[in-house]
Amino acid sequence: MSNKYYVTTAIYYTNAPPHIGHAYEIIAADVIARFHRLLGEDVFFLTGTDEHGIKVEKTAAKQGKSPQAFVDEISERFQTTWRDVLNVDYSRFVRTTEPDHYQVVQAMWNMLMEKGDIYKSSYTGLYCSGCETFCLPKDLTPEGLCPNHLTAPEPVEEENYFFRLSAYKTKLIDYYEAHPDFIQPLFRRNEVINQLDTLEDISVSRAKRSVGWGIPVPQDPDQVVYVWIDALSNYLTGIGWGKDSAVFEKFWPCDVHVIGKDILRFHAIYWPAMLMAAGLPLPETLLVHGFINVAETKISKSLGNVISPQDLMARFELENADPIRYYMMTSTGFGQDGNYTDDEFKNKVNADLANNLGNLLNRTLNMVIKYCDGEVLAVGAEKNNLLSGEDLAQIQTHYEGFRFNEAAQVIMEGVDRANKYVHASEPWTLHKEGKTTELERVLYNTLEALRQLSILLMPLVPTLSQQIWEQLGYTQRITQMRWADILDSPLPAGQKIQLGSPILPRLDSEIVGAGKKR
Ligand code: MSP
């Protein structure tokens, strides 16, 4: 089995700062990346920003800024939100305004041109600048609006370059048939197959006079590359296509592109066709997620319901973003639309993390301090059955199959069992009755369960896992652990635990909604 893993997110448009819908996607990719690192694989995790286009040009002009200055600011917001707020550990952040990316896009363009798959023709159509694509009249709402943005697409008449997408219909169908796992979840695959009935060539450039902010078409200064050849090629730029062949050869093809349902068509149809034309292998998997709504309503600037990760941090006075990560990944099955409400967030986080997990840690460590002088005593320890080999196998399969909510459920059942075990074994009675060996065994088994649970939870809640790890008395980082350590590296006898403050205070019931105070 290959020991590398390449995971990407979509690259985010820089016309507005990140919100919790974007966060959902990148958290999922981060969980996948962290899980594969835990398996000992060499992971490359790419994310970035998609910075060209008419929307950026217009918004920048409205704010009296140059497009470059404008995208610099927004791209920075994405980077700091992902890295510093959400603890997303990406390998590279690619920007479509980087010189490296210009070269990749122009090289890709030249390859498609040489293959005879790009040609020039005049075009009249309806363009949605929200989707950055032409719309077919049949896809519009009865009022003639774009179904994604509920805005009227603009009529456009231009000489453009076209990509011969229609020539790839049969090859695409053959590919989907030969690779049934290419599009996940499965129901998304059928959506794509249905779209192939009306496969037309696509416009891949715009006249520079109508859109100035883009990568110039090689050998034609009047045109800019627009927009999917530019955007999709980021997945090649990120791992050094044409520049660092060792990295590229190692990581391509991509193992999983994590994308939202709205951009499935571009990834399942345009992207494979482009790669086929360029003679490059196709990605293994497109992992398609649903949309996060807020109180059952689509997140939208015009509705004023946009929530950023920073808003949530402030609203609940969080010290780290693990509650957000945990809630996002576990409250809905991957692939389905999810819904955010303050109450559901608070209830889920309090039940699973503050009460179930936090209490287990706190009461166990307090007893170790009280009864064992804060030392891990393995005297008389027996094999800990709180998490069986079967549980571990199940959790692994769920993580591998992108069923994070189910992985978390099996983990939380382990936490539950450990809590019940403590309750039923009554260490306080064992202490009172002087049954020292038995007492030490119960506490050891519980500490050992906590050690295992902290590793299992690491992809989802890396900060909390590290905190549990430190309280168990470890000095090295928990990220150095590998999956095999869950069973093979039990807590060493004699280790001193380090009781700290509770890893997660209960979220306050008074804080329900922006603006309310404790
Ligand atoms: N720039 C293009 C993607 C190019 S990929 C080669 C784009 N950008 S986007 O900023 O509009 O969206 C980026 C990702 O965020 C997409 O996968 C999109 O589905 C996702 N989401 C945007 N809003 C979302 C929610 N409300 N919920 C979940 N994901 C959402 O499309």
Side-chain angles (χ1 to χ4, degrees), residues 18 89 107 117 183 253 319 373 401 479 494:
D89 191 7
D117 280 339
I183 303 170
E319 283 168 16
D373 205 19
T479 42

Side-chain angles (χ1 to χ4, degrees), residues 10-13 19 21-22 25 50 231 235 260 262-263 289-292:
I11 49 169
Y12 304 94
Y13 283 135
H19 58 58
H22 305 125
E25 177 175 293
D50 189 355
Y235 302 132
D262 56 328
I263 53 173
H289 62 79
F291 261 45
I292 296 293

Side-chain angles (χ1 to χ4, degrees), residues 159-219:
E159 277 253 284
N160 289 155
Y161 287 95
F162 284 78
F163 173 59
R164 220 178 283 286
L165 185 61
S166 57
Y168 287 87
K169 182 171 169 172
T170 317
K171 284 190 190 134
L172 287 168
I173 294 174
D174 291 348
Y175 188 80
Y176 304 146
E177 266 173 19
H179 301 86
D181 292 334
F182 176 54
I183 303 170
Q184 294 187 34
L186 200 63
F187 69 92
R188 295 283 176 204
R189 184 170 178 256
N190 301 333
E191 267 180 42
V192 171
I193 293 174
N194 292 339
Q195 290 188 22
L196 287 180
D197 290 342
T198 49
L199 196 60
E200 292 181 7
D201 293 351
I202 52 167
S203 153
V204 287
S205 76
R206 294 292 305 274
K208 202 167 167 65
R209 70 183 141 71
S210 50
V211 186
W213 185 234
I215 300 179
V217 165
Q219 289 95 41

Side-chain angles (χ1 to χ4, degrees), residues 83-95:
R83 214 181 37 220
D84 304 337
V85 180
L86 295 179
N87 195 8
V88 171
D89 191 7
Y90 53 76
S91 317
R92 176 164 176 196
F93 192 98
V94 64
R95 299 185 54 188

Side-chain angles (χ1 to χ4, degrees), residues 35-50:
F35 170 70
H36 282 270
R37 285 188 201 116
L38 186 55
L39 292 184
E41 292 169 17
D42 194 353
V43 172
F44 198 105
F45 170 13
L46 182 74
T47 187
T49 36
D50 189 355

